Amino acid sequence: MSGDTTQHVFIIGSKSIGYYGGYETFVERLVSEHENDSSVKYHVACKANGSGHMDETVLSSISDTVKDKKGNVVEFTYKDAHVFKIHCPNIGPAVAIYYDRAALKYALKYCRTHGIKSPVFYILTCRIGLYIDRSVRSIKAVGGRYFLNPDGHEWMRQKWSKPVRKYWKWSESKMVKLADKIICDSVHIEEYIKSEYSSYHPNTTYIAYGADVDDLQAADSSKYAAWLSDHDVSEYGYYLIVGRFVPENNYETMIREFMKSSSHRSLVIVSNTNQKFLHELNEKLHFESDKRIKFVGTVYDQALLKTIRRKAYAYLHGHEVGGTNPSLLEAMGTTSLNLLLDVGFNREVGEDAAWYWDKGDGSLSAVINEADGMDKDQIEEYAVKAKRRISGAYSWRYIGERYLEEFLC
């Protein structure tokens, strides 16, 4: 520990660090920004098992490892952050609630054991409303503050059944009501929280998710060439989609409209496809008969993925549920031309540096046809605007500074 002046921050809700999803990347970048800053000490909960669990062997360097009786690493230090792993039972979707609650209980015990004063508990998303009353009492008992990141509109996601959606909305209400501070990564989410829960007088602030502007360092050219060959596409000869393969990301609309377009380019979809949803889409759209539509699976090599983004002709973004989406920020920082679903979250990020479409019949196909005819100078103009937008409002350094201000105040 760095002394009595250090602000201890316990981050609850990320499955791992750095290599799984939006929150995981966020945690990696946050601890990296403050690695040598003695004013803050991060304690990060990670899953020890199950989907998205922490595999510390993928990290560049760790220290201070603590192992259990079976020899499994249960704690370690990474970039000055204390990381602790929570083992979860195999109980299906409810495991996420168990994990957050168990991680918070561990963090509270750690504070009591180590005499930590005035800790901050930063909970990512609104899963544990069922237990938040008792949890907040425990947080206050150790002199702590409870911060919340409400994420997006999880209760609107089509993957959840109606009872689960109802729980998400109720849980959100409970967790917002008791939070000392609510950090929203989207202006629209902040406006929603203020309006929806105005009777609670929520203490909100806006801090965006971060992104990098493309540094133009190419991946191994042979890897990219092999990827092009494997999927029968050419450099700048494809439109690109990268994202979770779920209905609310509007894959049906994007594929249907691309099939209507007259483009000779391909539509490349980088995603971990769900076979049931894939079959349902093909039954509706018969996209397997259109050789331009290419599901290419996932790409975990980040340098290769950046090159795939950079050398796409354009990026399609259909997300409409949630806050600031990491894949959109990555696209804006890398891909020259971005075609976004016209909803507030996406407008907020893209402003005048992107093109927009709606879910109406013919909207996206018309945008694609027009985009197909753009000259290099027009595309470069959008590329410059997009990168300026990311570097100006979404740089990780700026995001790190804003978080430090909130944690230390």
Side-chain angles (χ1 to χ4, degrees):
M1 304 302 167
S2 302
D4 294 339
T5 61
T6 300
Q7 175 64 65
H8 292 264
V9 178
F10 291 81
I11 301 177
I12 310 295
S14 172
K15 294 179 181 179
S16 59
I17 294 179
Y19 69 98
Y20 186 76
Y23 276 143
E24 290 69 27
T25 301
F26 160 73
V27 173
E28 158 74 28
R29 296 307 297 262
L30 189 64
V31 301
S32 297
E33 286 299 321
H34 303 143
E35 180 175 0
N36 299 309
D37 192 333
S38 62
S39 67
V40 65
K41 175 72 174 183
Y42 290 110
H43 305 261
V44 182
C46 289
K47 289 181 69 179
N49 62 308
S51 174
H53 71 275
M54 180 74 250
D55 177 6
E56 60 278 355
T57 64
V58 306
L59 300 177
S60 56
S61 62
I62 65 172
S63 61
D64 306 322
T65 56
V66 177
K67 297 183 179 181
D68 62 16
K69 293 180 180 179
K70 295 181 179 180
N72 299 311
V73 174
V74 292
E75 292 184 47
F76 59 89
T77 296
Y78 175 66
K79 295 187 176 180
D80 290 343
H82 163 230
V83 182
F84 57 96
K85 297 167 69 174
I86 302 295
H87 192 276
C88 301
N90 184 13
I91 54 175
V95 71
I97 297 173
Y98 174 92
Y99 168 58
D100 284 1
R101 189 185 182 206
L104 183 55
K105 289 173 70 175
Y106 177 97
L108 287 161
K109 181 179 179 181
Y110 189 93
C111 288
R112 291 190 291 266
T113 301
H114 292 82
I116 293 174
K117 307 296 183 184
S118 305
V120 168
F121 297 85
Y122 188 28
I123 300 178
L124 310 176
T125 206
C126 300
R127 282 185 284 255
I128 55 171
L130 194 62
Y131 305 101
I132 197 63
D133 291 285
R134 187 184 311 169
S135 297
V136 169
R137 287 196 295 271
S138 297
I139 287 171
K140 299 305 178 185
V142 298
R145 291 180 291 162
Y146 155 44
F147 286 19
L148 172 68
N149 185 313
D151 197 13
H153 297 319
E154 192 69 30
W155 48 272
M156 290 177 63
R157 295 193 186 278
Q158 296 177 43
K159 69 175 182 177
W160 301 122
S161 64
K162 286 185 178 180
V164 172
R165 289 190 203 180
K166 188 174 182 179
Y167 171 78
W168 270 111
K169 189 68 173 71
W170 175 85
S171 184
E172 176 186 270
S173 173
K174 291 282 290 183
M175 294 187 72
V176 165
K177 182 177 183 178
L178 296 175
D180 294 305
K181 181 163 292 184
I182 302 166
I183 300 177
C184 306
D185 64 17
S186 160
V187 171
H188 282 75
I189 288 293
E190 183 181 23
E191 291 173 348
Y192 158 77
I193 294 293
K194 285 182 174 180
S195 172
E196 183 76 1
Y197 303 109
S198 58
S199 62
Y200 300 162
H201 306 290
N203 178 19
T204 67
T205 191
Y206 162 66
I207 307 178
Y209 189 89
D212 294 314
V213 171
D214 190 0
D215 57 11
L216 299 181
Q217 291 183 357
D220 183 336
S221 59
S222 63
K223 284 186 179 180
Y224 180 60
W227 181 85
L228 292 174
S229 176
D230 287 346
H231 302 294
D232 191 25
V233 291
S234 60
E235 190 173 305
Y236 301 111
Y238 56 94
Y239 287 76
L240 179 67
I241 301 172
V242 180
R244 289 191 304 157
F245 192 59
V246 291
E248 61 265 22
N249 289 349
N250 286 295
Y251 281 93
E252 181 177 342
T253 299
M254 290 188 288
I255 294 170
R256 176 186 288 117
E257 290 293 312
F258 192 89
M259 292 175 69
K260 285 182 182 179
S261 78
S262 58
S263 178
H264 295 295
R265 294 180 169 88
S266 298
L267 175 62
V268 170
I269 300 167
V270 176
S271 182
N272 54 335
T273 51
N274 174 297
Q275 290 304 310
K276 181 176 181 292
F277 183 36
L278 190 68
H279 178 73
E280 290 173 355
L281 278 185
N282 193 49
E283 287 291 298
K284 291 180 180 178
L285 306 176
H286 306 290
F287 61 77
E288 288 184 352
S289 64
D290 190 330
K291 293 181 179 180
R292 298 174 301 169
I293 311 300
K294 299 177 184 293
F295 285 88
V296 302
T298 52
V299 178
Y300 290 113
D301 183 325
Q302 292 303 304
L304 175 59
L305 182 57
K306 183 173 283 190
T307 302
I308 292 168
R309 288 183 181 278
R310 182 191 308 134
K311 297 193 175 184
Y313 183 76
Y315 180 77
L316 301 184
H317 189 74
H319 292 51
E320 67 173 327
V321 176
T324 303
N325 184 264
S327 65
L328 173 55
L329 296 179
E330 289 160 9
M332 294 283 291
T334 308
T335 311
S336 296
L337 185 60
N338 293 276
L339 314 181
L340 317 181
L341 177 63
D342 194 359
V343 294
F345 305 117
N346 299 336
R347 279 270 183 185
E348 178 185 318
V349 174
E351 292 190 341
D352 66 347
W355 281 19
Y356 297 91
W357 50 273
D358 61 46
K359 293 194 288 185
D361 185 29
S363 174
L364 177 55
S365 59
V367 169
I368 291 169
N369 288 337
E370 189 172 353
D372 248 21
M374 292 180 71
D375 61 40
K376 289 184 178 180
D377 289 342
Q378 289 175 302
I379 293 174
E380 180 60 23
E381 184 178 339
Y382 276 97
V384 170
K385 284 182 180 179
K387 290 176 175 58
R388 186 182 299 138
R389 177 79 183 121
I390 295 301
S391 62
Y394 297 97
S395 74
W396 280 113
R397 175 171 294 183
Y398 173 69
I399 302 307
E401 290 172 352
R402 285 287 294 110
Y403 265 100
L404 203 57
E405 288 174 6
E406 295 300 332
F407 291 149
L408 297 183
C409 71

